[in-house]
Amino acid sequence: MINRVGYACINEHLKPKTFRSCRLKTIKEKGIDYLKQIILHNVEFTNEILKWNLDHTILMYRVTSDLMPLVTHRDVLAMSDWRWYEDEEIAGKLKAIQILVQENRMRLSMHPDQFTVLNSNKPKVVAASIEYLEYHAKLMHAMGGHDLILHVGGVYGEKEEAKRRFVEQFHLLSAEIKMLLRLENDDKSYSISDVLEISEATGIPVVFDYHHYRCLTDGKITEDLIGKIERTWQHGMPKMHVSSGKTYEKDKSHHAYISWEDCRRVWEIYQRHDVDVMIEAKMKDRAALRFLEDLDEMNGKVNQ
DNA sequence: CTCGGTCAAGGATAC
DNA sequence: GTATCCTTGACCGAG
């Protein structure tokens, strides 16, 4: 059955309050303490969002990668000896999140941006990606997070070679990152079978993105496929991503909400399997709430 | 004070 | 090689 439901980063109900960000230039002008204030605001706001989630039975959430803007940038690192992970004030606020998460069995994830390319053929890109992953892993550790979700990366006109490079470069990662990493199928290059193949070679659990799968295939989900994905999760609950096409079913752009039909499909498939569902929709928390309502209605119909 | 072009980072594609 | 799209939301400077 479907267990936890979640959404990514933005909370529509709490607007106009937002996360803060900044430009490199501004940090250079205003100094490292300006950046620290932004970070404190963002960590506090994350805590506020998690409490809101809890009040609305939303037990899963993706933390924004921009929680600490530019902290891995070399110019910022060169500016001072200050490091966010050595700052007690920040540590205290991250700890509060960890406690909230653990007390309520919430599931936190992060999803490094598209320029995190572990299988790149450029050593500089790989090195930068690993640094960015280290930042994510530290943050996840501090907050009690569970999942660091990644795409395979580029193809470079030679997919098999690119896949081999992913496996090879996976072994350069620290044990902390390896433990947190999950692989997601994408909507144009790496299909679910590509990802399952890499999972077999690396032991990385697979996050099944239903919409990406549908964009690349006929969209039919078999018991065999679900079983294969499920078996990549040696420990813990499998996790999947759900979204609906904006203007037509295979539209890669996301709709504001999850359609009733898609909710129904996912509900049906997971009658006999356990999964946590991450909603990827423009209306974020509103879409997650509607999805939960739709699920309730479907479950109600079953119980009648 | 408001608005909209711009912003660290990669890759794919077209020219 | 260079431009543009993908795609996202807050920044921040021009007016």
Side-chain angles (χ1 to χ4, degrees), chain A residues 171-189:
Chain A
H171 294 297
L172 301 175
L173 300 172
S174 67
E176 287 76 21
I177 298 177
K178 281 181 184 159
M179 271 179 55
L180 286 166
L181 220 58
R182 285 90 179 84
L183 262 184
E184 178 189 350
N185 58 305
D186 68 61
D187 58 8
K188 53 182 200 294
S189 306

